[in-house]
Amino acid sequence: MSRPGTCETGCSERRRDLVRADACDWVEGLADRARRRADALRPLVRVIAAQSDDADAGADGDADAAFGALAERARQALRRHPDVDAATVDLSEPPAEATTWWCDRCGGLDAPQDCLGICIWRSVDWVDAAVYAAARERARTEREREERLR
């Protein structure tokens, strides 16, 4: 994972921690899915909140029927928008980072690693670790919001 620099006077290397782009894509997708599910549940939560404010009004039979209808709407909404990520989400540990050295003038990048004597070049996309950390925090926030609405 190296791209030689082209600075005539020598590159100014700065540390840049990178994370694989597919890990970043995964947490961004997780955040988007959680946001969509929360957005779908939010209107029903508002109805439930409004109904609970009005629960004291009316006869007991009306209140029981209204509660039953509302409970059924809630069950249907939860079935339509299942938390499909619940079993696979683990945001506690970030993926492995690659420490690289980057020149902000020419874009040269060097990622030193131990030589095994076998060169295998595979194309891998990387993102800055700070971008990943922001996406992970967004995913955590969206998941928490969705869980509160559930």
Side-chain angles (χ1 to χ4, degrees):
M1 184 177 75
S2 292
R3 183 174 53 201
T6 57
C7 295
E8 289 182 19
T9 59
C11 290
S12 63
E13 293 182 336
R14 300 177 194 273
R15 181 182 171 144
R16 187 166 191 188
D17 294 323
L18 301 177
V19 174
R20 289 181 65 131
D22 57 355
C24 191
D25 291 343
W26 182 81
V27 295
E28 287 174 344
L30 176 68
D32 289 340
R33 290 187 304 275
R35 181 191 45 77
R36 284 194 304 271
R37 289 189 301 261
D39 288 349
L41 296 173
R42 190 170 288 111
L44 181 60
V45 171
R46 287 188 181 121
V47 169
I48 292 170
Q51 293 263 339
S52 66
D53 290 343
D54 297 338
D56 295 332
D60 286 337
D62 292 341
D64 289 343
F67 176 79
L70 199 51
E72 181 55 31
R73 281 183 62 192
R75 282 190 288 276
Q76 288 174 2
L78 290 171
R79 280 193 294 268
R80 273 194 311 272
H81 306 285
D83 186 359
V84 293
D85 295 312
T88 61
V89 173
D90 180 12
L91 295 173
S92 61
E93 301 228 4
E97 293 181 2
T99 300
T100 65
W101 301 97
W102 173 67
C103 178
D104 59 354
R105 294 184 301 207
C106 70
L109 182 71
D110 187 28
Q113 46 185 283
D114 297 331
C115 179
L116 301 175
I118 304 169
C119 293
I120 300 174
W121 292 93
R122 293 185 185 114
S123 179
V124 176
D125 291 327
W126 297 87
V127 297
D128 193 278
V131 171
Y132 174 83
R136 190 172 107 190
E137 187 55 36
R138 182 175 156 249
R140 181 175 292 136
T141 300
E142 294 294 346
R143 291 281 302 155
E144 288 171 359
R145 184 174 293 136
E146 177 192 3
E147 288 171 10
R148 282 194 310 271
L149 289 169
R150 281 186 185 282

